[in-house]
Amino acid sequence: MPAKTSQKHSSISSLSARPVHPASLISITDLSIGEVRRILSLATELEKEDPQQRAKWLRKRRVALLFYESSTRTRTSFELAAKSLGADTTLVSSLSSSIEKGESLKDTGITLRALGAECIILRSPWSGGPYLLAQATGLPVLNAGDGMHQHPSQALLDLRTMLRFLDLKSAKVAAHALAGVTVTICGDILHSRVARSNALLLPQLGAKVILCGPEPLLPETAAQLGPGIVIERDFDHALRQSQIVMMLRIQAERLAGLRLDLGEYTAKYQANGERIAAHAPKALIMHPGPIIRGMEITSDVADGPQSAIEEQVRNGVAIRMALLARALGTKKGARA
Amino acid sequence: MKPLLIRAGRLLDPANGVDKSADLLLREGKVAAIDAPGRIKAAGADLIDAKGLIVAPGLVDIHVHLREPGQGYKETIATGTRAAAAGGFTSVCAMPNTIPVNDSPETTRWMLAPERGAAISVYPISAATRGSMGETLIDYAAMKAAGAVAVTDDGKPILGDDIMLATLKAAAKVGLPVIQHAEDTRLTGGCSMNAGPVAFRLGLRGMSVEAESGLVERDIRLLAKVKGAHLHVAHLSTKKALDAVRQARRSGLHVTCEVAPHHFVLNEERIGNYDTHAKMNPPLRAEADREAMIEGILDGTVDAIATDHAPHAAHEKEQEFERAPNGIPGLETALGLTLSILHVRHKMPLDRMISLLSSRPASVLNLKDRGTLSIGAAADVVLFDPSESWTFHATDSLSKSKNTPFDGWSMQGRVKQTICGGRIVFSR
């Protein structure tokens, strides 16, 4: 029978057969519940620490930010997180580097490693890009969003936001910590790496995830992503069941010919004041950003008392500090 | 060239219903005699002891990419045919998506020139339209005269009904089959794998089953309108498309199809974490489709196993999944995988299995005197040990490219010697 056997023989075995550094974070499913708990606890510890002391954690360690897509929140918060731990950071973006000249991701990664980078934070328009970078460099790679695949640090900061709203301590994170909690993720699920990461993480903690949106943006196969996920096409019905609502923007840049009646879309799926007041007056309203006001969410909701949008951004820095400390394996970070 | 006497092997010639212990004499590039062991006297012949081995017609692969002209860094006709010989093949049909596209008698003749250094027989396949752009038919009679055995715009399927109809008519007139890579590319923009839950999880756009079956169904509708036309569906990968072929055949249409080993050995889960060595087109499909391929092979609907040998340089495959090119090499693993899966696991008799790799593909593309050991046929022979287990290592491959998903795989059935035109072209 054909079967995979040892690859010892192969001296040029394919890149994809090479290992990924274990302190990488590429998919949220890489983390056990225990690891999630330790990352959240470390985030809190680092956030509370005196800035002078905190800056010793990764003193003079070298962190490269490799961004092939534009980003405001993620890039800035990773950068601030690295700097507040004392690391030196360098930003390489596709428009101001040899990437423009056609340098491959593999070669860019090897170049950054030769320049002393000890950890690379990657944002890529291509799903799976971080695996390639991790396999090519052997360095810990933090996925800052890859194509339509995942955005695991976003899922962790979203979890931190939810736990605070629900008044749960991170130390309590365990298999049933979110039992009884329903989270609706609404909008362009198909193209959303944030949706995938959250939908894979939250049910691990006992939450029920409702994915909501029209068929072209939410195919039926999405329900097979993992356990604890259901599809609901009626937004109002989903809202009435939810303690937490996460809105997503329509990713115009990834629609690839998909046609959408925006008038019909906003009528059915927009989070506006009237709808939220009627169906989810107490729910926490989240959005990973960037928000398109007047499209998936209106200003009264985005800026209203139920909105956690700014809090999500703030939590991003703490979570990313913890991920960097974990990735670079300082003595303290090694605990995470 | 001295005669070759292959002694005491188990002679398997499915085209003639032969399965017996026999000696086989090859002389002047042809099969000269077959008789009971010890009966053939051939003074001066070189002897090959085939005891314990299967002696079968040299294998025939009707779907390979040899990359020449134009992409010699991936493969050349010389390296590709050496890999083929190592896999037991003695005839391969080369797809026209070269640079330039093989749409002229000059290119066809260039591919056939002795300077290419082919180790085995190469049969070029002509483009169906100028530059495979799907617009202007080329002169099939001239292509056939130059040596082409079929027409196709492989990789750039013919979408327009009018042009496909015209292609079927023109090809029928000169007696050439039309091969279609069945993919409605209007539905597969940006897609890099099979549609479904795995694609959703990986965040990759998926090709639907209908993008394949829809075009097969369309082609069959057009085929019914053209008397004498022959449609051959390349690398079929879905149950739905296979059902369409099965039904068309029942209604008497001349439609044939091939399946690649990777489509009956692997399913889409093999992609794992974006392994580009599991990226090909058509993509690896769901398990139910893989099982349907086995079923179609076992029930006779599938006419041929063809590898779609598609070598690529390492740097091309070491890219993000969606950016990496499609395809894997297949010549050196085809026999081992087929024997392991079809014969060992699914109990397909060896002669039927061999026919799928020799006589039946040869007949699909009308390759005369190939795929059989009839007296007078080409002296193309493969000797293999059907019970030897071995491990395939990409580094040992004779192909220029090592982008195989089968590196490190154990399989059963190993080629010992390949003879093409009475000449030993591979031996281990």
Side-chain angles (χ1 to χ4, degrees), chain B residues 68 76-79 81-82 111-120 122:
Chain B
E68 266 194 324
T76 63
I77 290 171
T79 59
T81 52
R82 264 158 196 79
M111 292 168 71
L112 290 170
E115 293 76 32
R116 300 292 83 74
I120 59 161
V122 173

Side-chain angles (χ1 to χ4, degrees), chain A residues 219-237:
Chain A
E220 285 293 326
T221 49
Q224 288 168 262
L225 185 62
I229 301 170
V230 296
I231 288 178
E232 170 60 65
R233 305 281 175 194
D234 181 338
F235 189 30
D236 294 345
H237 190 241

Side-chain angles (χ1 to χ4, degrees), chain A residues 250-272:
Chain A
I250 291 178
Q251 301 196 29
E253 72 274 26
R254 293 186 225 276
L255 280 184
L258 217 76
R259 284 204 194 90
L260 210 63
D261 181 334
L262 292 178
E264 195 189 331
Y265 180 80
T266 50
K268 286 186 172 166
Y269 296 106
Q270 184 185 64
N272 55 44

Side-chain angles (χ1 to χ4, degrees), chain B residues 40-104:
Chain B
I40 299 175
K41 303 289 175 236
D46 282 338
L47 303 178
I48 295 175
D49 179 9
K51 215 169 286 158
L53 302 181
I54 302 266
V55 178
L59 308 184
V60 176
D61 190 345
I62 56 175
H63 194 141
V64 303
H65 298 271
L66 296 179
R67 304 301 188 203
E68 266 194 324
Q71 292 177 305
Y73 67 96
K74 293 178 195 258
E75 192 82 286
T76 63
I77 290 171
T79 59
T81 52
R82 264 158 196 79
F89 291 91
T90 52
S91 299
V92 293
C93 301
M95 284 293 166
N97 63 335
T98 46
I99 302 173
V101 166
N102 179 23
D103 61 3
S104 71

Side-chain angles (χ1 to χ4, degrees), chain A residues 53-129:
Chain A
Q53 285 300 310
R54 194 162 62 200
K56 291 177 183 167
W57 277 71
L58 299 180
R59 209 177 130 75
K60 288 287 157 203
R61 304 291 296 272
R62 288 183 183 168
V63 173
L65 293 106
L66 180 51
F67 275 64
Y68 286 80
E69 267 184 355
S70 55
S71 162
T72 304
R73 272 156 298 275
T74 307
R75 197 194 76 198
T76 311
S77 79
F78 262 119
E79 193 168 353
L80 289 175
K83 288 201 161 113
S84 59
L85 296 180
D88 287 342
T89 63
T90 180
L91 171 69
V92 180
S93 69
S94 47
L95 285 178
S96 58
S97 67
S98 290
I99 294 164
E100 235 186 333
K101 302 173 190 164
E103 187 164 46
S104 70
L105 176 61
K106 175 185 169 180
D107 288 327
T108 304
I110 289 170
T111 302
L112 291 173
R113 185 182 63 188
L115 288 167
E118 297 170 81
C119 169
I120 303 176
I121 297 157
L122 175 68
R123 161 150 305 181
S124 169
W126 306 106
S127 296

Side-chain angles (χ1 to χ4, degrees), chain A residues 251-313:
Chain A
Q251 301 196 29
E253 72 274 26
R254 293 186 225 276
L255 280 184
L258 217 76
R259 284 204 194 90
L260 210 63
D261 181 334
L262 292 178
E264 195 189 331
Y265 180 80
T266 50
K268 286 186 172 166
Y269 296 106
Q270 184 185 64
N272 55 44
E274 203 181 326
R275 174 172 270 141
I276 297 299
H279 303 295
K282 289 182 180 159
L284 185 71
I285 309 293
M286 300 174 67
H287 194 309
I291 65 175
I292 311 295
R293 289 175 188 259
M295 178 63 101
E296 73 276 5
I297 193 166
T298 53
S299 287
D300 52 345
V301 176
D303 303 334
Q306 288 170 255
S307 170
I309 297 174
E310 276 183 61
E311 161 125 16
Q312 285 172 270
V313 176

